[in-house]
Amino acid sequence: YPLKVYCSTATGRNYLLAGRGKGKRPQLFRLDRMEKAAPGETDPEWAEREKEGKQFIRYLWGIGAGSGKKSRLDHVELDLYAGPEESYIPERLLREKRQGKVVQVSPTVWRFSIDAREMLPWLRTFLGRILRLECSDPRVTRRFWKDLDRLRVLYEEG
């Protein structure tokens, strides 16, 4: 059941957020991959689908949201370095934090914490500033550091 269309600011791709019925969480579909659509029955629980969609998107950071009926949120916390002359870093955190929290823990360290899905692409934009990264799902932090190691190898080879 179509709920809303989103446009990725990173890629420009359009995505359809659609409700999928009782007990199933909403899902995002790339519009350029859809071959056809046809009108269906009116959903008598439209208001419930819309509510589920709003709740789902509230914690979504990127397009990937995992699979399965239940979608868990990851608690992410990271400490970033921002020198005294780099006020644009905490300003960016405050501007982009959504429902997250930003706290200054020292003159040059800012802590960002959030419960969300699909944070890795955004976190990577702070490479070189991340002092500490913790996540309730250890696979997320392992993947982050593994990706960083791959970048180091590429940089050293180049």
Side-chain angles (χ1 to χ4, degrees):
Y1 202 86
L3 297 170
K4 191 170 184 177
V5 173
Y6 289 89
C7 181
S8 168
T9 56
T11 65
R13 292 183 180 126
N14 293 309
Y15 294 86
L16 172 68
L17 175 65
R20 299 180 349 155
K22 194 167 185 85
K24 295 182 179 179
R25 69 181 174 86
Q27 189 171 348
L28 287 156
F29 300 91
R30 270 182 57 177
L31 287 178
D32 63 332
R33 296 226 173 130
M34 294 177 119
E35 293 180 14
K36 62 181 178 176
E41 299 289 321
T42 301
D43 187 346
E45 297 181 13
W46 156 255
E48 184 62 27
R49 295 288 113 12
E50 187 175 38
K51 181 180 169 187
E52 290 167 356
K54 287 179 179 177
Q55 182 68 13
F56 173 78
I57 209 72
R58 181 175 174 214
Y59 295 102
L60 189 64
W61 203 267
I63 295 304
S67 58
K69 287 184 183 180
K70 295 286 183 188
S71 180
R72 66 175 165 61
L73 298 177
D74 293 325
H75 179 76
V76 176
E77 190 171 290
L78 85 145
D79 291 349
L80 297 172
Y81 173 82
E85 70 288 349
E86 298 176 308
S87 61
Y88 59 92
I89 298 298
E91 288 169 6
R92 179 180 167 207
L93 285 171
L94 291 166
R95 185 178 62 246
E96 297 178 11
K97 70 182 173 88
R98 300 187 190 179
Q99 74 278 5
K101 294 179 183 168
V102 177
V103 176
Q104 187 173 10
V105 294
S106 80
T108 59
V109 177
W110 294 81
R111 179 164 295 146
F112 174 73
S113 61
I114 191 168
D115 291 326
R117 300 179 188 96
E118 187 62 22
M119 291 288 303
L120 280 179
W122 185 78
L123 294 176
R124 288 184 190 117
T125 66
F126 291 101
L127 284 179
R129 298 191 172 279
I130 297 174
L131 303 171
R132 181 181 66 87
L133 172 64
E134 292 181 7
C135 182
S136 58
D137 182 351
R139 293 176 297 181
V140 172
T141 51
R142 278 196 305 269
R143 180 170 173 202
F144 179 85
W145 296 116
K146 185 177 179 181
D147 289 350
L148 185 57
D149 287 339
R150 285 186 192 149
L151 281 173
R152 282 188 191 122
V153 168
L154 289 172
Y155 181 75
E156 290 168 2
E157 289 176 355

